């Protein structure tokens, strides 16, 4: 995952999120975010944690793993959805401010 920031003489540079100190990339205007097709991969969790930790105005965060799994049927669907939901709650819920409404569909 990458963050765009001003560097040097105002040029935009692309750097991995992991190279930025906490608070260096701020999303001050981000109030609502919906994450679709969430499967719980390490990179997805990393991006969400980064955004949550750097979005002081975040009021609503919705994680929606359903769309990705709509084509699956039966046991596979239930297991994949359950895993994605569990990962979302475990990795994100403790990092949200008290004012942020959080839902995993």
């Amino acid at each position: 995952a990458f963050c765009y920031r001003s560097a040097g003489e105002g040029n935009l540079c692309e750097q991995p999120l992991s190279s930025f100190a906490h608070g260096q990339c701020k999303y001050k205007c981000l109030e609502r975010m919906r994450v679709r097709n969430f499967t719980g991969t390490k990179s997805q969790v990393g991006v969400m944690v980064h955004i949550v930790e750097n979005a002081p105005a975040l009021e609503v965060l919705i994680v929606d793993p359903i769309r990705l799994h709509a084509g699956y049927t039966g046991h596979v669907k239930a297991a994949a959805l359950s895993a994605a939901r569990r990962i979302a709650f475990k990795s994100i819920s403790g990092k949200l401010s008290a004012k942020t409404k959080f839902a995993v569909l």
Side-chain angles (χ1 to χ4, degrees):
F2 293 89
C3 180
Y4 293 92
R5 69 177 178 98
S6 296
E9 300 172 335
N11 297 327
L12 289 177
C13 66
E14 186 178 298
Q15 296 190 8
L17 291 176
S18 59
S19 70
F20 291 94
H22 175 70
Q24 195 171 357
C25 273
K26 284 284 187 182
Y27 309 101
K28 297 176 185 175
C29 298
L30 182 63
E31 295 176 351
R32 292 173 202 80
M33 184 170 91
R34 183 175 190 145
V35 179
R36 292 186 173 155
N37 301 334
F38 183 79
T39 59
T41 65
K42 185 176 179 179
S43 61
Q44 288 175 330
V45 170
V47 169
M48 284 197 341
V49 167
H50 170 80
I51 291 171
V52 164
E53 290 178 341
N54 292 284
L58 189 64
E59 297 172 357
V60 178
L61 173 59
I62 299 171
V63 178
D64 183 0
I66 295 170
R67 294 181 191 278
L68 178 68
H69 303 293
Y72 294 133
T73 59
H75 185 68
V76 174
K77 177 181 177 183
L81 288 173
S82 178
R85 288 179 179 128
R86 187 176 58 254
I87 291 167
F89 275 114
K90 182 180 176 184
S91 58
I92 302 299
S93 60
K95 301 187 182 312
L96 295 168
S97 74
K99 69 176 181 140
T100 305
K101 295 177 184 175
F102 178 51
V104 179
L105 305 179

